[in-house]
Structure formats: C-alpha cells, structure tokens
Amino acid sequence: MKNQAIILMLSIIFAYSCKKNQQMIEKIELSKFPVVNKIYKKLSIHDDDRIDNYYWLNDRENPDVIDYLNAENDYTKGVMQHTEAFQKNLFEEMKGRIKEEDNTVPYKLNGYWYITRYEKGSDYPVYVRKKESLEAPEEVMFDCNEMAKEHSYFNLGGIAISPDNTLAVFSTDTVGRRQYTIQVKNLITGEIYSDKILNTTGSATWANDNKTMFYSMKDEVTLRSHKIFKHKLHSDTIKDIEVFHEADETFNAFVYKTKSKKYIVIGSSSTLSSEYRFISADAPDNDFKIFQEREKDLEYSIAHYKDAFYIITNLDGATNFKLLKTNENNTGKKYWETVLPHRKEVLLEDIEIFKDYLVVNERENGLNKLRVMSWNGEEDYYLPFNSETYTAYIGNNPDFDSQVMRYGYNSLTSPSSVIDYNFKTKQKEIKKEQEVLGGNFSKENYESKRVWATVRDGVKVPISLVYKKGIKLDGTNPLLQYAYGSYGSTTDPSFSSIRLSLLDRGFIYAIAHIRGGEYLGRNWYENGKLLTKLNTFHDFIDCSKYLIAQNYTSNKHLYAYGGSAGGLLMGAVINMNPELYHGVLAAVPFVDVVTTMLDDTIPLTTGEYDEWGNPNDPEYYNYMKSYSPYDNVEAKEYPNMLVTTGLHDSQVQYWEPAKWVAKLRELKTDSNKLLLHTDMDSGHGGASGRFESLKEVALEYAFLLDLEGIRG
C-alpha cells in the first residue's frame, strides 16, 4: 500500500510538472511572436487623419511582406505544436465520416444523364455522363484529379454543354483569385481546342447554333465582371466581339440562357438595382434588347415560360418581393401584371419553372417553404415540413419538361437528403441521404431547437441551437456562436458531419440569425446595413448575453466564429465587448473597412457602396469609422484569437487580417493567444482539395478545444 501511495504521489507530481512545463512552453512560444516593421502612413479625408503604420503590408510582391506572413505561419505552428497529433486525429476523424467513393444523384438533360463522382483516395471530382440510360457506358468528361496534378490549387469552374451534346465549355482557376480561363473540349474525340480565354468569371453560355458562346470578362485590376463578349468557335479570341460593357462601377455583368432555351440574357446588377437585356438564342448575332431600364432601388430578375416572362421584383414598394408576368414582346414595367402579390410576412426568394407547374421558394418566420402551383390553376399547395429548424431548397432541375421536382432537405440533426417529388402522383422519393460513416452517428443522439433573444432595441432575434442530448444548462458548456449578417445572405440551420467533432466533445453550436441577413425577410436585411449596420453587431452581442443568461454557457466558455463579412462582425464585437468571449475564430475577415472602401482599385469595392455606404460621403465615412475593426483597436484585453486568410484572396485581401493582427499585437494588454495563419496557395474559399480544407478546420477546432483543455 505504501509503495502504491508513493507511486500515486509521484504520478501526480509528474502530471503537475508536465502541465506546468506545457504552460511554460506556451508562455515562451507566445512571447516569440513576429514583430513587423511600422512605417508611418497618414490617410486624410474629410478633415480627419488616420495613422496606418501597417499600410505597407498591401504589397504582395514585397519580399518583406512574404517573410512576415511566413513568420506568422511559423509562429502559429509553434504555438499549436503540442496539438499537432490532435489535429491529425481530428482530420482523420472528420475525413472518416465522409464517404470517399461517392456519386451525386444523376440528373437528365437533353438526352444524357450527368453524374459527378468521387473516387477513393482522390481529392477532386470526376464529371461523367451516360447517354439515355443509366445502364449505358460511362463517358468521362473531366477528371479533375488529372487536371490538378501540376497545381497546388485547382478549381474547375462552370461546365456548359452545347445543344448538340458534342462540346463542353469549361473553365479553370489554378491560383485561387477566381480569374478563370475558359476552354472548349470536344466530348466525342477528347480534343481540347485552341480557343483559350483568360480572366473570365468562369461561366459561358452557348447559343443554339453550337458554335457561338457568350462569356463575362473581368477587369484586370478590380476583378469586377464588367464586359460580355461573343466568341465564335475556332476563331481568334482577340477578335471576340464585345456585346455589352457595364460602365457603372457599382454593377456586375453576367450572361445565361433561359431554362426554356429560347433566350440569351445579359444581366447587370448592383446591391439595390438590376437591369436585363436579351436576344433569341437562335439569332446570336442580333442586337440585345433591354428588358426594363435600370432605376434606382428597382430590383428584378426574370425567367421565361411559353410566350411570357416571369419577374420577381420589389416594384412599388414590394419589400419582400412579388411575382409578376409580361408578354415577351412588351417587357417594360408598365406591362407587368401581378401573379403573386407582395406579402408583408412572406419573403419570395426564388421560382422554378416546369412545363406544367410553377414552384415558388418562400420564407416565412425564418423557415423555407416550397409552394407548388399548376399553370392551369387547379392546384396550389405547400410541401409539408414539420421540424422547427430545417433547411429546404429547390435542387437542380434543368429539365423543363419534367414531371418531377428535385429538392433538398436537412436540419441541424438530420443529414442532407436529395428528394424527387412527383407532381402527378404527389409521392416523394428519397434519392439519396448523406451517409455519415464511422459507426458512431445517430441523429437521435442530438437535439436542436430555436430560441429567441430580445435585444437592446426590443427586437427578438432567433438563434438555432444544436447539441448532444443530455447536456445540463449550468453555464459550463463550451459554445461556438456563428453568424454572418451581411448582404441579405441567410445562414440556414443545416447539417454538418464535420461539426460533430465539436458536438461529441460537449460543444453547443449556435447560429445567430442577426439583422443584415434575410432570415426574417427583406426588412431584416435593410435594418442591418448602411447607417443601421450597428444593429448587426449589437444583435450578435445581445445573443451572446442571452445565451450566457440562460446558462447555455458563460464568458469563460463562449467562442465566436465568423468569416469574410462575418469576420468584420468578429472584429467589431471584440472591440465592443471583448470580455464576453474566451476565444474567436475570424476567417478571411473584412476588418479594414474604411481604407478598403476608399480604394476603388481594390476588387469589389465600388460594388459594395450599397451595402456599407460610400466613405467619400462624410456621413458614411464617420459611421463606418465608428465600427471598422482595424480603426478601433485599443489598448485593452482581447480574447484568444485565430485569424485565417489566403494570399490570393480576391474577396478580402490578405493584408486586411495581416494588418489587423499586427495592430492587435501592438496594442492589446493581455497574454492571450493571437495567431495568424495564411494559406500561401489559396484564395477566399481556402484549399481546393476535397479533404485538404479539413486540415484548416482541424486547426480551428484544435484551437478551440485546446482552450477548453480538451486534447483528445
């Protein structure tokens, strides 16, 4: 017994010593963070001066900048070194839930069945098709694993099949800046033609003659899609004809063919306004005709059926949009007639047109609804969904004549399903349900719910929650709170097999449906942009306070996560209430708002004025400056933070998070972790391989779990 007691005592001492040594190592590592040079830079406008000592980091070609980013990567690796085995285990765990050998549900178009499949051990998809029958021999169109072999980053953009099924326009990006190269492949012989078009958006559209295609070109500097060109097969691309130039720097141009195959349509849109023009797909050399001239604050989109166009629009104050129609020969707004009127409580998001049916995608009280209406007026009903927190959406339905609608369904606890609904029989068939491998998953082991937090101005903000059954609301649960909250983009409560690695270790996952998105309709967006943008940040903070008050978690166990514009959200809330959060994940964060919005040479800036305001106007400048994360960093304590970015990011330039981290290092008064990880090979979307991106998730999860003392 005495020997056992001595052994036990030595074990305790050894464990304590290991813990103390680990803490000492981390303190040493944290004290060795990279120090970046400060170069004085004064930025002046509206009689206001801002000093930006890290402005120089915006030079991607400067070796000192690359050295600094690499030093930060080395520092992050050093601080997280003790979690490397854990990260590897997390990676294998997440990868192990994903079916490696997998196929998409086939869809039929113009006589062919199209399938995307993944092979075991491969990172990229293989695109194949079968003629007429699924039992027919497989034709491999594109094997992205072969195409990606010589590249550290690879993405296959759009694929457009010619009307006669013999050719495919395809596009590739091997940098990550979303500047795609368009080429043409003969699907019969396998030959890739010499036609090669650089710096495009990646999408192209065939006319019905099988030799004319339309595509959108990007501005070399701003990356704004500003021109539509026409290309004739086998001709010199230098001779391509410019058919449309969008001169307004706040608009982006795009081109597509209607589902009816009758028209080629050029669209041009900004955040608050849109304009379309069209020609017959049988007459690609004709001049485009304007559908309805752009007007300030007039938004509309168009779809074609028989001899009419159907228009989703906010015309005449229809904040949540309404559905109108007009004869294809008289398309101006004075001819538009009501099909579905505006409804105050229902957001009209989209429509899908079939030969015999119209399907309307609506959102009411935050939930998706699919409405089926027959063209003959005899049927009008909603598909039933019973859960309180779910995601339903219209799937891929390219066949105009089909009697079957494909849609998707999932929830925070239910894996994704692809479902075919037969209009005639009213029967649904689950074509595929996402498999969660590993043998440990059962949807019955998890619980989801929706709660409502009353925020400071009295508005109720919904929060979707998911967690493992059996947790106690005693304030000790680690909780990861996510939100985006910009551009009217709605984060629906959807399933993630990757997220199980947090849930199974005791985390609660919360989605705060804050203003700036459209979860509760268009007004939800309007009250979270421009001069009401502070509502977005206040909503997130007040949701955090609600979750703490209801004992879901505490500030010692609460973590915040957001990316891109959601990264701006992260930067704003930790400036306002850093004490609420133990840790923060900020992915590709848009944090230097004022400087970026004043620089119209940066990609996307001018098109963002309707979202954030134009800081050349003093009112917007001052408001923007009041919340811009970079401009509001102060000498105070901040939470533990992991910031990620990509060197080639075209959406949020890498230097924004790099400058932000440098300034935080300079001013923050705590000894909490502050890590910057830059993917030197990718852009806004991260790594391109199917599983490669999981390594960054493993790093993020290890960062969170390590802060909770969970290392296995």
Side-chain angles (χ1 to χ4, degrees), residues 450-464 481 483 511-515 519-520 524 535-536 538-540 542-543 546:
R450 185 170 61 166
V451 297
W452 298 77
T454 302
V455 299
R456 64 194 67 185
D457 61 357
V459 171
K460 291 185 180 296
V461 176
I463 307 170
S464 295
Q481 180 181 332
I511 303 170
H513 302 288
I514 56 181
R515 282 173 283 187
Y519 187 78
L520 292 179
W524 204 244
N535 286 336
T536 300
H538 293 161
D539 284 358
F540 190 90
D542 292 348
C543 285
Y546 171 86

Side-chain angles (χ1 to χ4, degrees), residues 55-107:
Y55 185 88
W56 68 276
L57 288 173
N58 69 357
D59 184 2
R60 187 183 282 102
E61 305 303 319
N62 185 338
D64 291 339
V65 172
I66 301 302
D67 288 345
Y68 168 63
L69 297 177
N70 284 324
E72 286 284 5
N73 281 349
D74 291 341
Y75 174 67
T76 296
K77 187 174 182 180
V79 172
M80 297 298 292
Q81 186 172 12
H82 66 284
T83 70
E84 284 187 356
F86 187 27
Q87 288 181 52
K88 185 176 180 181
N89 290 340
L90 284 169
F91 170 77
E92 294 296 339
E93 177 180 294
M94 292 184 287
K95 181 182 177 184
R97 296 193 194 100
I98 300 171
K99 190 176 181 182
E100 287 198 58
E101 194 170 354
D102 203 5
N103 296 324
T104 59
V105 179
Y107 69 87

Side-chain angles (χ1 to χ4, degrees), residues 155-168:
N155 186 34
L156 182 68
I159 300 173
I161 308 297
S162 62
D164 65 3
N165 292 316
T166 63
L167 303 171

Side-chain angles (χ1 to χ4, degrees), residues 468-508:
K468 203 162 186 182
K469 284 182 179 177
I471 65 165
K472 296 180 180 179
L473 300 184
D474 57 6
T476 65
N477 302 299
L479 188 151
L480 181 58
Q481 180 181 332
Y482 173 83
Y484 185 74
S486 292
Y487 303 105
S489 177
T490 297
T491 303
D492 283 311
S494 57
F495 182 80
S496 167
S497 69
I498 295 169
R499 190 189 300 137
L500 296 175
S501 291
L502 289 181
L503 302 185
D504 288 346
R505 289 174 172 85
F507 263 77
I508 298 172

Side-chain angles (χ1 to χ4, degrees), residues 238 318 442:
I238 297 176
S442 171

Side-chain angles (χ1 to χ4, degrees), residues 561-632:
Y561 173 39
S564 195
L568 159 64
L569 172 65
M570 296 299 100
V573 301
I574 63 168
N575 279 334
M576 295 174 184
N577 286 91
E579 75 285 352
L580 289 176
Y581 309 98
H582 187 49
V584 171
L585 297 175
V588 292
F590 173 42
V591 285
D592 191 13
V593 184
V594 178
T595 306
T596 292
M597 294 304 297
L598 281 168
D599 187 351
D600 59 13
T601 67
I602 294 177
L604 305 181
T605 289
T606 54
E608 305 281 289
Y609 289 157
D610 289 333
E611 179 72 22
W612 314 103
N614 185 344
N616 292 294
D617 179 331
E619 182 180 22
Y620 286 107
Y621 171 85
N622 290 322
Y623 189 81
M624 200 178 290
K625 185 183 174 186
S626 74
Y627 66 75
S628 176
Y630 185 66
D631 291 293
N632 288 282

